[in-house]
Amino acid sequence: MLDEDNVYAPNVDVVDIRRRVGMVFQRSNPFPKSIYDNVAYGPRLYGGMTRPNLDEIVERSLKRACAVG
């Protein structure tokens, strides 16, 4: 079940399910790119954002990660 939807139902869009479900690894599994590109990958893929928007997202994300870690 995902958000009260049966993921095994015959009419379920598997691609949509994969977009909505993330994977958590015990060890980081970055793309072979820069830290900036790894953090900006998702917003860039789905958002069509400008460079200043991406810069802000990456900076905010890294500051939050440092505050948690």
Side-chain angles (χ1 to χ4, degrees):
M1 300 296 286
L2 177 65
D3 295 334
E4 299 181 22
D5 295 325
N6 182 352
V7 297
Y8 294 110
N11 61 338
V12 168
D13 181 359
V14 177
V15 174
D16 180 58
I17 294 289
R18 289 179 181 148
R19 281 190 189 118
R20 294 167 48 199
V21 175
M23 295 182 70
V24 178
F25 297 93
Q26 288 183 345
R27 297 185 64 198
S28 63
N29 191 19
F31 298 113
K33 300 177 183 239
S34 70
I35 293 171
Y36 181 97
D37 287 331
N38 275 282
V39 175
Y41 181 79
R44 185 180 285 143
L45 182 65
Y46 290 107
M49 307 222 169
T50 63
R51 180 66 184 228
N53 292 123
L54 285 174
D55 290 347
E56 182 182 329
I57 289 170
V58 169
E59 182 175 352
R60 186 173 3 115
S61 298
L62 291 174
K63 283 181 178 178
R64 289 176 69 191
C66 289
V68 173

PDB file of all heavy atoms in Angstrom, residues 1-12 17:
ATOM      1  N   MET A   1       0.842  -1.175   0.000  1.00  0.00           N
ATOM      2  CA  MET A   1       0.000   0.000   0.000  1.00  0.00           C
ATOM      3  C   MET A   1       0.894   1.247   0.000  1.00  0.00           C
ATOM      4  O   MET A   1       1.920   1.279   0.665  1.00  0.00           O
ATOM      5  CB  MET A   1      -0.901   0.015   1.229  1.00  0.00           C
ATOM      6  CG  MET A   1      -1.837  -1.186   1.349  1.00  0.00           C
ATOM      7  SD  MET A   1      -3.043  -1.321   0.033  1.00  0.00           S
ATOM      8  CE  MET A   1      -4.177  -0.055   0.446  1.00  0.00           C
ATOM      9  N   LEU A   2       0.479   2.226  -0.756  1.00  0.00           N
ATOM     10  CA  LEU A   2       1.152   3.515  -0.788  1.00  0.00           C
ATOM     11  C   LEU A   2       0.068   4.586  -0.852  1.00  0.00           C
ATOM     12  O   LEU A   2      -0.692   4.655  -1.825  1.00  0.00           O
ATOM     13  CB  LEU A   2       2.075   3.627  -1.995  1.00  0.00           C
ATOM     14  CG  LEU A   2       2.788   4.962  -2.176  1.00  0.00           C
ATOM     15  CD1 LEU A   2       3.762   5.208  -1.023  1.00  0.00           C
ATOM     16  CD2 LEU A   2       3.510   5.021  -3.495  1.00  0.00           C
ATOM     17  N   ASP A   3      -0.004   5.401   0.197  1.00  0.00           N
ATOM     18  CA  ASP A   3      -1.056   6.425   0.271  1.00  0.00           C
ATOM     19  C   ASP A   3      -2.438   5.815   0.026  1.00  0.00           C
ATOM     20  O   ASP A   3      -3.237   6.327  -0.742  1.00  0.00           O
ATOM     21  CB  ASP A   3      -0.802   7.553  -0.727  1.00  0.00           C
ATOM     22  CG  ASP A   3       0.451   8.333  -0.417  1.00  0.00           C
ATOM     23  OD1 ASP A   3       0.847   8.367   0.769  1.00  0.00           O
ATOM     24  OD2 ASP A   3       1.034   8.900  -1.351  1.00  0.00           O
ATOM     25  N   GLU A   4      -2.688   4.697   0.662  1.00  0.00           N
ATOM     26  CA  GLU A   4      -3.963   3.973   0.585  1.00  0.00           C
ATOM     27  C   GLU A   4      -4.265   3.398  -0.795  1.00  0.00           C
ATOM     28  O   GLU A   4      -5.398   3.047  -1.101  1.00  0.00           O
ATOM     29  CB  GLU A   4      -5.110   4.865   1.060  1.00  0.00           C
ATOM     30  CG  GLU A   4      -4.948   5.312   2.507  1.00  0.00           C
ATOM     31  CD  GLU A   4      -6.088   6.173   3.002  1.00  0.00           C
ATOM     32  OE1 GLU A   4      -7.185   6.100   2.405  1.00  0.00           O
ATOM     33  OE2 GLU A   4      -5.885   6.898   3.978  1.00  0.00           O
ATOM     34  N   ASP A   5      -3.268   3.315  -1.666  1.00  0.00           N
ATOM     35  CA  ASP A   5      -3.422   2.700  -2.982  1.00  0.00           C
ATOM     36  C   ASP A   5      -2.669   1.376  -2.995  1.00  0.00           C
ATOM     37  O   ASP A   5      -1.524   1.300  -2.555  1.00  0.00           O
ATOM     38  CB  ASP A   5      -2.857   3.594  -4.090  1.00  0.00           C
ATOM     39  CG  ASP A   5      -3.616   4.904  -4.229  1.00  0.00           C
ATOM     40  OD1 ASP A   5      -4.839   4.893  -4.027  1.00  0.00           O
ATOM     41  OD2 ASP A   5      -2.968   5.924  -4.538  1.00  0.00           O
ATOM     42  N   ASN A   6      -3.297   0.352  -3.518  1.00  0.00           N
ATOM     43  CA  ASN A   6      -2.662  -0.954  -3.638  1.00  0.00           C
ATOM     44  C   ASN A   6      -1.683  -0.913  -4.805  1.00  0.00           C
ATOM     45  O   ASN A   6      -2.086  -0.773  -5.959  1.00  0.00           O
ATOM     46  CB  ASN A   6      -3.717  -2.033  -3.868  1.00  0.00           C
ATOM     47  CG  ASN A   6      -3.117  -3.420  -3.946  1.00  0.00           C
ATOM     48  OD1 ASN A   6      -1.907  -3.591  -3.970  1.00  0.00           O
ATOM     49  ND2 ASN A   6      -3.962  -4.415  -3.986  1.00  0.00           N
ATOM     50  N   VAL A   7      -0.397  -1.020  -4.514  1.00  0.00           N
ATOM     51  CA  VAL A   7       0.616  -0.934  -5.565  1.00  0.00           C
ATOM     52  C   VAL A   7       0.598  -2.145  -6.497  1.00  0.00           C
ATOM     53  O   VAL A   7       1.203  -2.108  -7.559  1.00  0.00           O
ATOM     54  CB  VAL A   7       2.031  -0.735  -4.980  1.00  0.00           C
ATOM     55  CG1 VAL A   7       2.121   0.580  -4.235  1.00  0.00           C
ATOM     56  CG2 VAL A   7       2.433  -1.889  -4.094  1.00  0.00           C
ATOM     57  N   TYR A   8      -0.108  -3.191  -6.094  1.00  0.00           N
ATOM     58  CA  TYR A   8      -0.206  -4.382  -6.934  1.00  0.00           C
ATOM     59  C   TYR A   8      -1.475  -4.419  -7.778  1.00  0.00           C
ATOM     60  O   TYR A   8      -1.701  -5.365  -8.529  1.00  0.00           O
ATOM     61  CB  TYR A   8      -0.131  -5.644  -6.081  1.00  0.00           C
ATOM     62  CG  TYR A   8       1.212  -5.828  -5.420  1.00  0.00           C
ATOM     63  CD1 TYR A   8       1.347  -5.687  -4.044  1.00  0.00           C
ATOM     64  CD2 TYR A   8       2.343  -6.106  -6.162  1.00  0.00           C
ATOM     65  CE1 TYR A   8       2.582  -5.846  -3.431  1.00  0.00           C
ATOM     66  CE2 TYR A   8       3.586  -6.263  -5.562  1.00  0.00           C
ATOM     67  CZ  TYR A   8       3.687  -6.131  -4.201  1.00  0.00           C
ATOM     68  OH  TYR A   8       4.911  -6.285  -3.593  1.00  0.00           O
ATOM     69  N   ALA A   9      -2.313  -3.393  -7.682  1.00  0.00           N
ATOM     70  CA  ALA A   9      -3.541  -3.342  -8.477  1.00  0.00           C
ATOM     71  C   ALA A   9      -3.182  -3.297  -9.961  1.00  0.00           C
ATOM     72  O   ALA A   9      -2.157  -2.715 -10.350  1.00  0.00           O
ATOM     73  CB  ALA A   9      -4.375  -2.132  -8.095  1.00  0.00           C
ATOM     74  N   PRO A  10      -3.990  -3.913 -10.809  1.00  0.00           N
ATOM     75  CA  PRO A  10      -3.653  -3.992 -12.236  1.00  0.00           C
ATOM     76  C   PRO A  10      -3.593  -2.643 -12.952  1.00  0.00           C
ATOM     77  O   PRO A  10      -2.893  -2.508 -13.948  1.00  0.00           O
ATOM     78  CB  PRO A  10      -4.757  -4.860 -12.834  1.00  0.00           C
ATOM     79  CG  PRO A  10      -5.811  -4.961 -11.808  1.00  0.00           C
ATOM     80  CD  PRO A  10      -5.215  -4.615 -10.488  1.00  0.00           C
ATOM     81  N   ASN A  11      -4.273  -1.633 -12.440  1.00  0.00           N
ATOM     82  CA  ASN A  11      -4.294  -0.346 -13.127  1.00  0.00           C
ATOM     83  C   ASN A  11      -3.258   0.645 -12.600  1.00  0.00           C
ATOM     84  O   ASN A  11      -3.261   1.806 -12.980  1.00  0.00           O
ATOM     85  CB  ASN A  11      -5.685   0.286 -13.015  1.00  0.00           C
ATOM     86  CG  ASN A  11      -6.073   0.533 -11.566  1.00  0.00           C
ATOM     87  OD1 ASN A  11      -5.545  -0.095 -10.665  1.00  0.00           O
ATOM     88  ND2 ASN A  11      -7.019   1.427 -11.359  1.00  0.00           N
ATOM     89  N   VAL A  12      -2.349   0.187 -11.761  1.00  0.00           N
ATOM     90  CA  VAL A  12      -1.349   1.068 -11.160  1.00  0.00           C
ATOM     91  C   VAL A  12      -0.252   1.390 -12.169  1.00  0.00           C
ATOM     92  O   VAL A  12       0.246   0.515 -12.876  1.00  0.00           O
ATOM     93  CB  VAL A  12      -0.745   0.416  -9.898  1.00  0.00           C
ATOM     94  CG1 VAL A  12       0.482   1.170  -9.425  1.00  0.00           C
ATOM     95  CG2 VAL A  12      -1.776   0.350  -8.804  1.00  0.00           C
ATOM     96  N   ILE A  17       4.599   5.149  -9.403  1.00  0.00           N
ATOM     97  CA  ILE A  17       4.971   4.594  -8.091  1.00  0.00           C
ATOM     98  C   ILE A  17       6.459   4.798  -7.849  1.00  0.00           C
ATOM     99  O   ILE A  17       6.867   5.217  -6.772  1.00  0.00           O
ATOM    100  CB  ILE A  17       4.628   3.082  -8.002  1.00  0.00           C
ATOM    101  CG1 ILE A  17       3.124   2.879  -8.063  1.00  0.00           C
ATOM    102  CG2 ILE A  17       5.235   2.450  -6.765  1.00  0.00           C
ATOM    103  CD1 ILE A  17       2.375   3.331  -6.843  1.00  0.00           C
TER     104      ILE A  17
END
